[in-house]
Amino acid sequence: MHLVDGMPPARGEGVRLRKPSRVAMLSMHTSPLEQPGTGDAGGMNVYIIELARQLAALGTEVEVFTRAVSSRLPPTAEIVPGVTVRHVPAGPYEDIGRAELPAWLCAFTADVLRTEAGYEAGWFDVVHSHYWLSGQVGRSVARRWGVPLVHTSHTLAKVKNASLADGDRPEPELRLRGEQAVIDSASRLIASTQTERRHLTDLYGAAPSRVDVVAPGVDLDVFRPDGPRPPGGDDRGASDRGPDSGARAARVRLGFDPDTQILLFVGRIQPLKAPDVLLAAAADLIHRDPRRRGRLAVVVVGGPSGSGLERPDSLVKLAAELGIADIVHFQPPVPQEQLADWYRAATAVVVPSHSESFGLVAVEAQACGTPVVAAAVGGLCTAVEHGTSGVLVHGWNPADYADALERILTEERWRRHLSAGARARAAGFGWSATARGVLASYQAAATAVPRALAG
């Protein structure tokens, strides 16, 4: 622990940290090692692992505590020097639904406390919880250790319930109460956008002075129009290959004709993410111009999640009902390097979610130079600059998405304008900046007695 006056504090005192030495990061319901795009794994998984890596690079060690879903998992796994993932035995060794996880909060908390008890006093300087379930654990361990609790919600129940998709279930009262308790007791809250900050203050009564806005990042070395950065970071010649060279080459690598126009959806297949809107919009586009069928492809990269698990074949059936099964391609979730190729290959990426705290897919796509057509909700209004890096659509009428996509597909000048704007927009989001912002939030949390101790 780095101290202002160089003297170690009595345990439990509020102290001002120059920079925390060690952070206990809590991610109970999903492991940062899981492949994003299916089950409960998504943008939060990417956020946690990338943030942890950057914090370690800045000299702050991170231990991530997550629930073990298999007895074959090692108790600990070092990701990079300074980042360790701990698999906590709490509940059955299998994936279980989020509705069942509250029953295992006490077991998870007890194991986290046992781990810390094996260290010297004051081992962790900060607890950083992700999602409300981990926040419940964070309240207990931060109070016991006498350290600040910093919390990132990632999604908010009241926001989700206000914009439910057809066929989706509202978040239960248990989550609403638990989420409120975490927000009330955390020393600091980290919001991804100003919109999320307003949600925290207006819907949950969080004091504005306790909410820090820190945008998530994107790996700009992986998500690039012309492929991963060459060894040594030498980009000479990259700008000479033409704006479409990366897209055409990526299509060939993925098994498509280089002239194919690809509309891409990336994410978990569930009503909240609304991939059905893209399929209906594609059917509309073909209805407007039947000749388009021969050169258009719709690609869905992801797997069923949440309430989507109840109807895992719903999109396959919808494609058949719409008469476009021949042009719709379903791909399982893929690692980031392969995902970047899908973004490069796409003519446009569609993000029609009913709610998004940020919209990492939109930023990743833009970093690859691909325009985004997204719902004008939540963090997507920050991630996408309307008319510059993509198009924001109000509502979920497939015809409105078809209008936006048709212009991108048919007007080359407009598409290139958006592509250039997409790259510029994404350049402002980097994980190193995210880590520095989070460190500043940790510092602010440590300047006063933690609220968990006061309450």
Side-chain angles (χ1 to χ4, degrees), residues 189-355:
L189 300 165
I190 296 179
S192 294
T193 64
Q194 289 291 346
T195 299
E196 186 181 0
R197 184 176 188 268
R198 287 195 297 272
H199 289 154
L200 287 165
T201 58
D202 295 350
L203 300 179
Y204 292 86
S209 60
R210 287 195 298 119
V211 185
D212 302 313
V213 178
V214 183
V218 62
D219 189 335
L220 297 172
D221 289 336
V222 172
F223 297 100
R224 294 161 46 84
D226 295 296
R229 188 182 300 276
D234 187 354
D235 282 338
R236 286 176 296 180
S239 61
D240 299 331
R241 291 192 283 269
D244 293 327
S245 62
R248 293 174 64 84
R251 289 170 196 153
V252 172
R253 285 193 296 271
L254 294 168
F256 290 89
D257 183 279
D259 293 319
T260 303
Q261 294 180 314
I262 296 177
L263 305 180
L264 177 66
F265 171 90
V266 173
R268 290 170 288 167
I269 300 174
Q270 60 182 131
L272 173 71
K273 302 294 184 179
D276 57 295
V277 173
L278 169 56
L279 268 61
D284 190 345
L285 287 168
I286 290 176
H287 177 75
R288 298 179 187 189
D289 182 1
R291 295 171 301 175
R292 185 173 278 131
R293 183 184 292 271
R295 62 181 185 275
L296 186 67
V298 177
V299 178
V300 176
V301 178
S305 173
S307 55
L309 291 168
E310 299 170 4
R311 296 179 297 158
D313 297 329
S314 61
L315 278 191
V316 175
K317 294 177 179 178
L318 177 61
E321 293 169 3
L322 293 170
I324 58 171
D326 56 317
I327 68 164
V328 179
H329 306 262
F330 294 95
Q331 299 290 329
V334 295
Q336 284 198 323
E337 290 75 11
Q338 292 175 249
L339 181 59
D341 241 11
W342 281 111
Y343 287 136
R344 291 183 200 105
T347 310
V349 170
V350 183
V351 189
S353 304
H354 286 265
S355 68

Side-chain angles (χ1 to χ4, degrees), residues 6 12 19 30 35 40 48 76 134 173 181 212 251 285 293 319 356 402 454:
K19 182 172 66 177
T30 180
Q35 172 61 57
D40 281 329
I48 292 172
T76 62
S134 297
E173 182 64 27
D212 302 313
R251 289 170 196 153
L285 287 168
R293 183 184 292 271
E356 286 284 356

Side-chain angles (χ1 to χ4, degrees), residues 25 47-57 60-62 64 80 82-83:
M25 205 167 281
Y47 181 101
I48 292 172
I49 199 66
E50 294 296 340
L51 172 60
R53 284 172 173 159
Q54 290 295 329
L55 288 173
T60 295
E61 295 181 15
V62 178
V64 183
V80 296
V83 179

Side-chain angles (χ1 to χ4, degrees), residues 405-417:
L405 290 167
E406 187 169 39
R407 187 178 179 191
I408 293 172
L409 294 173
T410 58
E411 297 183 23
E412 182 177 356
R413 185 174 179 180
W414 173 242
R415 177 175 54 79
R416 292 196 175 190
H417 163 75

